[in-house]
Amino acid sequence: MSAPYAAPDDFRTAVLDAGLLVASAVDGVYQLSGEFEDVLQGLQRHLGSQRVDHDAPRRWFPPVLPRAEFLRTDYVASFPDLVGSVDVFRGSDAEHKALLGDLEQGCDWTQHLEPAEIVLSSAGCHSLYATLPAQIPDEASRAEICGFVFRHESGPDPTRLQSFRMYEFVLVGTPEQALGHRDSWMPRALAVLEGLGLRPRVEVAHDPFFGRAGRMLVAGQVEAALKYEFVVDITDATGTAIASANYQQDHFGRTFSLTTGDGQPAHGACMAFGLERTTLALYAAHGLDLAAWPADVRAALGC
Ligand code: 5GP
Ligand code: ZN
């Protein structure tokens, strides 16, 4: 069966023509229409309604996190090309003058800036770990989280955004609790996406979580099946991952010094949904006219 669109360019033209996205001068940076955001908010509420851990705290994160915490995630070792750092100006009046002079001359004014104490967030759950208790309770720590993340993606494919939101269900605890969390979420995630008329296939992901060294261990990761992606066909060109189910083993437990009752580094798992991508997948599956979507899908999304 062929995908709704032949190529990413066709999908991009269609969503721009329909006014769902408004392009900026930079690939991967779009404004969203009010209707698109309404659908996305409905999706967010619908995903939240699938929660099984009713006591898990729900947290909405800002798009930035402390630089020191970010470094603990090791993301910069795995995906340096996707990272976004924030620069700020802390100079004197004289330095400000020099900055304006460079700007006027068309020179590099950013040389007058310096790295801030924050960076742009690369994954929703990264903001969580430093706020968890160092001693993870026997029943595990769970959280339902949402936040904007940044990835320095490029290209005209509208499903490759530089700034997008992730909605995640996270657990930190023993290896059994973490794996149980991930593995119980996979059929639930499949069911909720299918209930919205999407037909994702579940694939073992090939990108390593951690470190350049990890990249060489890709085969090991596939073997261990640490990360599964829920992939839909929006275009004939390539599948689009709209959600992922991740088992990070003890990586964040080690780097954030989180331990379980037995004194071992805690293990972590998260079920992550990309809100913009899933919303785009819904438009691709049901058409760009929201009024013509199946009634049950619109009811589930409340729009
Ligand atoms: P992961 O952490 O597994 O790479 O990403 C989690 C989810 O975020 C993905 O399944 C996808 O839905 C979303 N995502 C990842 N990269 C992008 C991107 O470049 N653009 C958009 N819109 N969503 C993305
Ligand atoms: Zn996560």
Side-chain angles (χ1 to χ4, degrees):
M1 209 177 74
S2 69
Y5 295 88
D9 259 350
D10 300 321
F11 185 46
R12 177 186 149 94
T13 303
V15 291
L16 292 181
D17 286 352
L20 294 167
L21 302 186
V22 177
S24 77
V26 173
D27 276 348
V29 179
Y30 297 89
Q31 298 167 8
L32 312 176
S33 75
E35 181 197 289
F36 187 99
E37 180 68 15
D38 285 345
V39 174
L40 185 147
Q41 294 287 334
L43 170 67
Q44 179 178 266
R45 272 191 301 276
H46 187 60
L47 293 173
S49 75
Q50 307 301 309
R51 69 180 62 90
V52 282
D53 301 318
H54 291 274
D55 296 332
R58 300 165 65 214
R59 297 208 205 143
W60 268 251
F61 296 136
V64 294
L65 84 165
R67 182 177 293 270
E69 288 174 24
F70 173 69
L71 289 176
R72 285 179 147 192
T73 68
D74 279 344
Y75 196 85
V76 76
S78 294
F79 304 106
D81 46 325
L82 299 183
V83 168
S85 181
V86 176
D87 283 349
V88 293
F89 180 72
R90 292 198 183 96
S92 62
D93 285 353
E95 282 162 308
H96 184 204
K97 218 177 211 173
L99 181 158
L100 293 177
D102 279 344
L103 190 58
E104 208 165 296
Q105 310 265 314
C107 301
D108 178 14
W109 61 277
T110 61
Q111 61 181 309
H112 300 283
L113 306 182
E114 54 185 278
E117 64 280 23
I118 49 156
V119 296
L120 298 175
S121 186
S122 297
C125 58
H126 286 176
S127 296
L128 178 70
Y129 302 112
T131 66
L132 294 178
Q135 179 71 53
I136 299 295
D138 287 346
E139 66 274 19
S141 285
R142 297 156 205 270
E144 188 177 327
I145 62 163
C146 186
F148 267 101
V149 303
F150 170 87
R151 293 185 184 175
H152 194 220
E153 300 276 6
S154 61
D157 182 348
T159 67
R160 274 202 182 279
L161 299 179
Q162 296 206 28
S163 179
F164 56 94
R165 281 160 278 184
M166 279 193 200
Y167 202 93
E168 297 192 31
F169 299 88
V170 188
L171 181 143
V172 176
T174 64
E176 295 73 29
Q177 288 168 329
L179 262 175
H181 177 78
R182 189 199 62 179
D183 293 346
S184 66
W185 255 108
M186 288 181 49
R188 265 205 301 279
L190 198 57
V192 66
L193 295 170
E194 286 177 348
L196 294 174
L198 301 175
R199 296 284 167 266
R201 51 185 185 276
V202 180
E203 295 179 353
V204 177
H206 293 261
D207 57 337
F209 294 127
F210 319 119
R212 287 204 169 232
R215 200 162 286 174
M216 287 174 255
L217 299 173
V218 171
Q221 186 192 348
V222 172
E223 216 169 277
L226 299 180
K227 181 182 184 82
Y228 291 95
E229 288 185 312
F230 294 67
V231 178
V232 295
D233 290 318
I234 294 177
T235 72
D236 289 327
T238 170
T240 302
I242 56 171
S244 67
N246 306 286
Y247 172 42
Q248 296 105 353
Q249 298 171 300
D250 62 357
H251 181 76
F252 296 125
R254 283 185 189 281
T255 61
F256 285 91
S257 303
L258 306 170
T259 53
T260 44
D262 55 5
Q264 294 300 308
H267 285 231
C270 65
M271 179 70 228
F273 297 88
L275 294 181
E276 280 79 358
R277 264 198 194 168
T278 307
T279 304
L280 285 165
L282 288 167
Y283 276 106
H286 301 308
L288 303 185
D289 177 12
L290 179 60
W293 285 18
D296 60 329
V297 175
R298 291 189 67 184
L301 300 176
C303 55

